[in-house]
Amino acid sequence: QVQLVESGGGLVQPGGSLRLSCAASGTTFSIDVVGWYRQAPGKQRELVATIAGHGNIVYADSVKGRFTISRDNAKNTVYLQMNSLKLEDTATYYCNARGFFAAPYDLWGQGTQVTVSS
């Protein structure tokens, strides 16, 4: 199985930057897609960005040009570089991994809080 651990959240002022990390362990070779999602209080969880094994990347329109998703295969880690942060980026950010190992799986990390506030 795959386990996901997020880190890097915190409090930042508008216009600031943060980098989130999602470290995967276990059967990481079975992962097809890793994504970052976020959920603000009272709102549904929404896609932020995904990166597939073959390198295809998808961003939500709200973060295009400000956020960058990348991966370090040697470290089994996916990053989310967040620049020009806005108040509306405040949310709990979750790492997600989908793949197949004996059966399809869709796994979530525990989440990391990002708060943008002046």
Side-chain angles (χ1 to χ4, degrees):
Q1 262 293 14
V2 172
Q3 296 80 40
L4 304 173
V5 177
E6 301 110 327
S7 61
L11 173 64
V12 64
Q13 291 185 339
S17 298
L18 281 175
R19 188 178 78 159
L20 306 183
S21 299
C22 174
S25 60
T27 56
T28 57
F29 60 86
S30 67
I31 297 173
D32 292 327
V33 181
V34 176
W36 286 98
Y37 293 74
R38 65 187 181 187
Q39 188 167 18
K43 295 187 177 181
Q44 290 190 331
R45 192 171 296 189
E46 62 177 6
L47 168 73
V48 176
T50 63
I51 183 166
H54 48 69
N56 189 48
I57 291 174
V58 174
Y59 292 104
D61 288 343
S62 59
V63 306
K64 282 181 181 177
R66 300 189 298 122
F67 291 12
T68 303
I69 190 170
S70 63
R71 67 186 180 202
D72 184 332
N73 291 331
K75 296 182 178 179
N76 291 320
T77 300
V78 171
Y79 303 98
L80 184 69
Q81 178 66 44
M82 305 186 294
N83 298 328
S84 302
L85 282 160
K86 303 176 180 180
L87 296 175
E88 53 264 41
D89 294 318
T90 295
T92 302
Y93 284 69
Y94 296 91
C95 181
N96 170 268
R98 301 196 303 273
F100 186 95
F101 186 72
Y105 61 81
D106 186 348
L107 302 174
W108 296 89
Q110 81 283 359
T112 186
Q113 179 66 36
V114 172
T115 302
V116 184
S117 175
S118 56

